[in-house]
Each structure stands twice: as structure tokens, then as C-alpha cells.
Amino acid sequence: MKIIDAHFHIFPPDPRNDQRTRSVGHENSIDHLRQVYTQLGMVHGVVMGNRSLDPAYHDYPGDLFHYCVGLDGSLTREGIPADYVELVEENLKRESCCGVKLYPGYNRIWLSDPLYEPIYDLAQRYDKPVAIHMGQTVFPAASLKYAHPLVLDEVAADHPKVRFVMCHFGNPFLESAAAVVEKNPNVCTDLSGLLEGRFDLKEYLTRLGHYADNLRSWLAYVEKWDSIMYGTDWPIVNLGEYLSFVQYLVPEEHWEKVFFENANRIYGLGL
């Protein structure tokens, strides 16, 4: 089975990032990722962009990765550049850029804010999806109300020709996330970042199987296996361990779609 990781991050080498990656059994390098991808049958990945809108910053090996240009928390900390729309478009013109990533909880900006309207227009024009961080945030300074799945419902309804990706299945707001994906034909989701750190699947299911079964139940409720993509949110998880977890969540008859076909189609990867 071929696998696409539809949601992960690349962070520059430094002591903190290197230690975080080693803590889940990996090394913080593209060469290491290439090696692990080969071992696990992972043929491609979609980098969720951070830190810069400059197209030159997003230089990834084209045989292995595409990327989504990200309007992340650095924009509000450092000031939103006057030419942010032009910069996003310069990225979207590139074949290697397969979408846009928004971080409303970290930016504390509603998805319906006028700031994002030109981004939705660009996404529609270039026929590339808008991926959105939904659900729990890493930093306490972020605000969950901006990242609740119901916020995406309004925007998706108002922009029916824009394709949206609800990242992390809106975890832990699973009921709302399922309702939004089920209701809106232009919303899909990825299963990245549902766990963090290392784990043994058998031991985990013994201890916290109710959480995994809750995820399985809401995925079954949605019953739109064409709209669900595999993702990891690496480097917060071990790739092999996380693969086994998502295989537990998804019925085997849908693996080809969830682990490869959907991401290839939704992000237009052409694999």
C-alpha cells in the first residue's frame, strides 16, 4: 500500500527541534525522513508551512514533498505584511505549492475576517485547498474559540467553490467536526495529530481505548471515506507507531482511499 502523509511539519535544525524529534525516535533531517518513508511505504508528504510567506523559504525536494504556504502565528506577532496576498499568490503559482494553511486559533482571527477573503478567492482561482488548523492548540496563549469546527461551517457555506481541509479532525471537538464534514461537500479532513509522543498500540488501547473507539464512531458517522486523509503532524509522533494507530481507526476496505488516493486527488499531487 502506498501512503501519503497529508500533514506534517519541517522545522530547522536547532537543539530544541532536534531533541523533540529524537524523543519520538527520529532524526530532524530530510535524509532521515526519506529513509523512514521508504521503510514504511510512504511515497510523498505535504508540508504545512510555517514562519514565512516568502516562496524562496519553501525549498523542499520535489520528488518527496509538496507544501501548503502557511499564514501562522508569526504574522500577528511580527505584523501582517502589506503584500501578504501577493506573497500567497506567488506561492500558489508554483507547482510545488498545493494549498494554503491557516492557523486561526494561534492568530486569534476569525475565519470570516476580511483578512482571509482574498485568500479564499485565490484558492478558488488556483483550485487549491485551504487547510485549517482546527481543535486543540499547542500553546496556552492561543484561543480555542477561533479554531472550533463550527467556525469552519459558516465559511464553507459562504464559499461553496473553495475546498477546505479541516486539520486534526477538529480534535477534541469530534461531534462538531463530524457534523461539519458530513454537512458540507466542500470540506474534507485529515487525521493528523490525534496523539502525541510515543506509544505501544496494544497498551494504549487497553488504557485509552474509549478515545480511539470514539474517533472510530464519529468517522463511521461521517461515512465519507472519500473526504478523509491520513496525516501525522510529524515530528510530534513516531511515524510507524502513528501509522498503526490510524490503521486501527479506519476500516481496511477504505485504506487505499484514506492513506493515498484522497490526498493525491484533494491536493492535486499528480502521483
Side-chain angles (χ1 to χ4, degrees):
M1 181 178 67
K2 294 188 294 185
I3 299 168
I4 295 171
D5 184 348
H7 186 129
F8 79 105
H9 299 270
I10 291 179
F11 294 109
D14 65 36
R16 181 181 174 217
N17 291 332
D18 295 349
Q19 175 55 37
R20 175 171 53 181
T21 309
R22 284 194 293 269
S23 72
V24 294
H26 291 296
E27 295 297 326
N28 187 24
S29 76
I30 290 177
D31 286 342
H32 172 80
L33 273 178
R34 187 181 293 277
Q35 179 182 7
V36 176
Y37 272 31
T38 300
Q39 293 169 353
L40 296 177
M42 299 174 69
V43 297
H44 212 75
V46 177
V47 181
M48 293 295 158
N50 299 96
R51 297 175 301 282
S52 179
L53 296 179
D54 183 356
Y57 181 87
H58 301 284
D59 182 21
Y60 311 107
D63 66 317
L64 203 60
F65 305 134
H66 280 69
Y67 76 96
C68 289
V69 60
L71 285 79
D72 67 359
S74 65
L75 293 179
T76 47
R77 288 193 304 270
E78 301 167 9
I80 299 171
D83 60 345
Y84 76 100
V85 176
E86 290 79 6
L87 287 170
V88 169
E89 183 169 16
E90 286 305 310
N91 282 278
L92 289 175
K93 288 177 180 178
R94 307 171 84 191
E95 183 179 350
S96 58
C97 180
C98 61
V100 182
K101 174 72 181 292
L102 304 182
Y103 298 80
Y106 295 100
N107 287 323
R108 294 192 174 203
I109 299 174
W110 293 110
L111 288 174
S112 56
D113 190 279
L115 173 81
Y116 291 135
E117 286 299 324
I119 305 304
Y120 303 146
D121 291 342
L122 287 173
Q124 180 178 333
R125 191 191 320 161
Y126 285 91
D127 192 25
K128 295 183 179 182
V130 178
I132 305 171
H133 177 98
M134 295 264 94
Q136 185 62 273
T137 58
V138 175
F139 306 117
S143 181
L144 292 176
K145 70 179 182 179
Y146 298 97
H148 193 282
L150 290 181
V151 178
L152 175 56
D153 177 57
E154 177 184 5
V155 173
D158 289 346
H159 300 82
K161 294 183 179 181
V162 178
R163 290 177 289 141
F164 293 96
V165 178
M166 179 195 298
C167 301
H168 316 304
F169 195 42
N171 186 51
F173 307 115
L174 302 180
E175 179 181 355
S176 295
V180 173
V181 175
E182 193 275 335
K183 168 185 173 280
N184 295 287
N186 58 330
V187 175
C188 58
T189 190
D190 72 45
L191 302 179
S192 65
L194 301 176
L195 294 179
E196 186 173 352
R198 303 211 65 174
F199 59 91
D200 173 84
L201 182 60
K202 184 177 181 181
E203 186 275 333
Y204 181 86
L205 293 177
T206 299
R207 183 169 51 91
L208 288 171
H210 57 283
Y211 168 61
D213 290 340
N214 199 21
L215 281 164
R216 293 177 75 181
S217 294
W218 284 115
L219 289 170
Y221 165 81
V222 173
E223 204 174 14
K224 291 174 66 175
W225 298 106
D226 289 336
S227 300
I228 298 169
M229 297 180 286
Y230 175 67
T232 64
D233 213 15
W234 189 88
I236 69 168
V237 293
N238 177 277
L239 293 177
E241 293 168 358
Y242 199 75
L243 176 61
S244 68
F245 177 67
V246 179
Q247 286 176 326
Y248 175 80
L249 299 179
V250 177
E252 188 169 356
E253 61 264 32
H254 303 300
W255 282 5
E256 290 292 338
K257 290 182 178 180
V258 172
F259 287 98
F260 179 80
E261 293 174 6
N262 295 341
N264 191 35
R265 182 189 76 255
I266 290 165
Y267 281 114
L269 304 180
L271 301 179

